Every structure is written in C-alpha cells, then in structure tokens.
Amino acid sequence: MSILSLVTETAPHRLSQMEALDTARALIAGNFSDFERLSAVYANAGVAFRQLAMPVDWYRSPRSFPERTAAYLDVALDMFVAAAQKAIAQADLRPQQVDMIVTVSSTGIATPSLEARAMARLPFRNDVHRVPIFGLGCAGGATGLGLASRLARATPGSTVLLVTVELCSLALRTDNADKADIISTALFGDGAAACILRAGEDGFVQITGSAEKTWSDTLDIMGWRAEPTGLGVVLNRAIPAFARREMRQAMTEMLAPQGLGIDDVDQFICHPGGAKVVDALEGALSLNQGALVNERTILRDHGNMSAPTLFFVLDRYRQAGLPPLSVLNALGPGFTASSLTLRCAA
C-alpha cells in the first residue's frame, strides 16, 4: 500500500510551556496541595510550545460537557477540512475521487462523525464509505494507518483518505485535579494530520506490514474516565518504565511474522509520548542515546498531540529522506503497542 500524500495541521492558538505553567498554577494550585512539588514536570516534559484549540482565556473558566463538545465540533471540523483538503491536493486528486474516509479521533464525541459533517464543506461523493474510529488514543496514528492500508488493500484501485484530529486540551480539569491532570497540562497539545493511501500506485513510501500487541490487565494505564464535566484523563506514571521493560519483546513479536528482526530496521519512527517515554524507547530498542531526534523536536514544538503526533514525526523523516526500511510505532490505551513497516519507494 502506498502513501501518496501526508500533511499536518496545527491548532490555531500557540502557548509556551512557561505560559502553560503559569495558567495551570492559577487554575489548579489552589485545589491541589502538591502542585508546586509536581510542577517540575513542566521543565522535564521536553515541551517548549504547544498549540491549543481555544484561546488560553477560554480554559480559565469552568466548562460543561456541552461547552467542551461544542468547541470540539467547531475546531475539530475546521482542522479536519483543512487537513483533508491539503492531503487531497498534495496527491493531485479531487474530493470526488476519494472512495473511503477513515477518521481517527478520541478527544471528543461527534455523532454524526467528523467526516459526515465535512461533507457539507467538501464535495465528497454521497456514496463514499465512512469509517469513524474512537478510543485509540496515542496509538491512533499507527493503528488508524494500519487499518486504512488494509482497507485499501481489500479494494485495489480505491483511494482512502485518513484524517486524525485530537483536541487534548479540551479535557483540562481544574476541579478535583490529580497528578494525571498536572502531567497532561504539561504534556499535551492539539493537532491534526491527513494522508491519502492507494493500492498499486507509487507513493513516497509503501506500507508492507502492520501489527499490534495488547497486554492483559493494563486497562488502567491510559484512557478516559467519564465525568460530569467531560472526559477526565487516565495516565499512569509507570508508562516509561513499562515501555523500557516491554517494548523490545513486543517489537520482536510484531516483526517476526514479517521475517524481520529489530536489527533489520534502518529507522524506528516513534510516537513521542513524553521525554521519558522517548528515552525508554531508545533504551528498549538499543538505539543510540539521542537517536530519536525528530521525535524530541516534534514534542518540543507541539507537545504530545495524541494520534496525529506520529504523522508530524513521519513528515520530518520524510523531509530528511526515509531509509529503505522503517518501522512506525506507538503506544496507546488498551494498553496496546501498534506498529507499521514502511519501505521507501525506489
């Protein structure tokens, strides 16, 4: 399966990490006695800037679930349309030539889903197949791309548009905040990405394999908790240690059915869940310290945008020139590792 185009889209409002700390201190510190002790996470998260769906003042007022949903529907749709338009144009196509739309988003609820709403603004055919996916979290970039490639393979000649939009900032909780909320305000941002896939055509890279591994009894590591005001983050501080301990064996198992081993891979392209997660992945995969420089750059400039982040990283590797064999990988709720094998077009 070939990736014909890849674009990224940032949210409209930029926030520095210092501004994020000052805002979180003003909103959370009064209700959370350990805030100052934990505030070192802002300096250690590896994030300098991130982009937000709404102006920072919007987050200073308590928001109901309907208000958060309204913001999600408004901004996520704008970002969906912008990313889709650019991906279609980059592939030298028209919206009417798209046969299937895969939408990945876990940070808001939209029924009808985003691609259905986008049909009022983009001239997709009325018989286009829609595949909305919810619940993949940070693994959504890799898992969604793997699913889109399998759908393209199942219908040779069809054009598949994959769009992922995540507005993590809308989950900001100021009442009853806990450690996970502090970490999330230091780490997460908002973003979108889109790509076009098609079987049997040359793109800038080919997807030759995909795999997943879900560990049992790990539901409490990452996810959402339904609360009266919206979605509350579940984020276990043990994720870096888990990645360092488990990812080498998981990657070995995911590559083996493809006749590959870790040493065969020219470049691992990783979802940068956080600075400590990037360090853990370098250790687990026996990479040189600092090898995942593009991952750290994206984390620094945009924060962890959940599912779209992996596409931001892939785009940087594409601009620098992809090696013959790369493996995308990401971790997400489940707790699940997801990977894709990429071979560079000749």
Side-chain angles (χ1 to χ4, degrees):
M1 300 303 103
S2 291
I3 304 179
L4 305 186
S5 65
L6 170 63
V7 302
T8 60
E9 189 73 21
T10 56
H13 305 283
R14 191 167 186 255
L15 186 75
S16 72
Q17 188 73 324
M18 184 59 69
E19 291 173 305
L21 173 57
D22 290 343
T23 302
R25 179 178 282 119
L27 296 177
I28 297 174
N31 299 320
F32 189 72
S33 59
D34 264 359
F35 180 87
E36 293 303 331
R37 182 178 65 84
L38 294 172
S39 64
V41 71
Y42 290 86
N44 299 329
V47 177
F49 299 94
R50 86 280 306 277
Q51 293 76 43
L52 304 180
M54 304 297 287
V56 67
D57 285 345
W58 186 90
Y59 301 91
R60 296 182 184 275
S61 300
R63 298 293 175 180
S64 66
F65 187 39
E67 287 178 302
R68 295 173 194 267
T69 298
Y72 172 81
L73 294 177
D74 184 24
V75 179
L77 180 57
D78 284 346
M79 295 178 68
F80 182 107
V81 170
Q85 282 180 315
K86 292 175 185 176
I88 293 167
Q90 190 180 99
D92 197 23
L93 297 171
R94 294 175 289 109
Q96 295 90 335
Q97 294 174 275
V98 172
D99 300 298
M100 185 176 301
I101 307 170
V102 178
T103 303
V104 176
S105 188
S106 300
T107 47
I109 305 241
T111 305
S113 48
L114 293 175
E115 76 286 341
R117 297 167 186 268
M119 292 175 74
R121 293 167 58 176
L122 293 173
F124 294 117
R125 302 195 315 269
N126 61 12
D127 65 346
V128 69
H129 295 280
R130 298 168 43 223
V131 186
I133 304 172
F134 178 87
L136 296 176
C138 290
T143 305
L145 186 56
L147 174 60
S149 71
R150 290 192 293 276
L151 292 171
R153 180 180 291 112
T155 51
S158 66
T159 298
V160 179
L161 167 66
L162 168 68
V163 183
T164 176
V165 183
E166 300 291 10
L167 306 184
C168 307
S169 70
L170 299 183
L172 173 65
R173 181 176 63 170
T174 56
D175 295 332
N176 301 315
D178 58 18
K179 293 179 181 179
D181 294 295
I182 305 301
I183 295 171
S184 67
T185 59
L187 187 59
F188 288 102
D190 302 334
C195 61
I196 293 285
L197 298 95
R198 184 181 288 170
E201 285 200 12
D202 289 335
F204 71 88
V205 76
Q206 282 75 49
I207 300 171
T208 60
S210 62
E212 295 179 41
K213 176 174 181 175
T214 298
W215 288 268
S216 59
D217 301 321
T218 56
L219 297 179
D220 62 342
I221 289 183
M222 182 186 292
W224 291 125
R225 181 173 51 245
E227 298 180 346
T229 56
L231 300 173
V233 66
V234 175
L235 192 64
N236 195 307
R237 63 183 298 178
I239 292 174
F242 187 95
R244 186 179 296 275
R245 183 177 68 249
E246 300 287 346
M247 273 304 290
R248 186 174 188 85
Q249 180 61 32
M251 189 59 65
T252 299
E253 294 172 8
M254 289 189 287
L255 290 174
Q258 303 173 55
L260 297 171
I262 288 176
D263 292 340
D264 296 317
V265 179
D266 298 310
Q267 181 67 59
F268 284 99
I269 300 174
C270 304
H271 173 90
K276 291 183 179 179
V277 173
V278 177
D279 291 343
L281 291 171
E282 286 178 341
L285 299 174
S286 300
L287 306 177
N288 293 330
Q289 187 176 10
L292 300 179
V293 62
N294 287 327
E295 286 80 350
R296 288 186 171 87
T297 298
I298 294 300
L299 183 66
R300 181 197 68 202
D301 293 344
H302 303 284
N304 180 350
M305 298 165 284
S306 191
T309 315
L310 190 62
F311 293 99
F312 279 71
V313 178
L314 175 59
D315 197 37
R316 283 191 66 89
Y317 280 102
R318 177 179 67 157
Q319 292 172 27
L322 287 165
L325 179 62
S326 303
V327 172
L328 296 177
N329 68 91
L331 293 164
F335 193 60
T336 298
S338 183
S339 72
L340 289 99
T341 304
L342 306 181
R343 293 191 182 271
C344 192

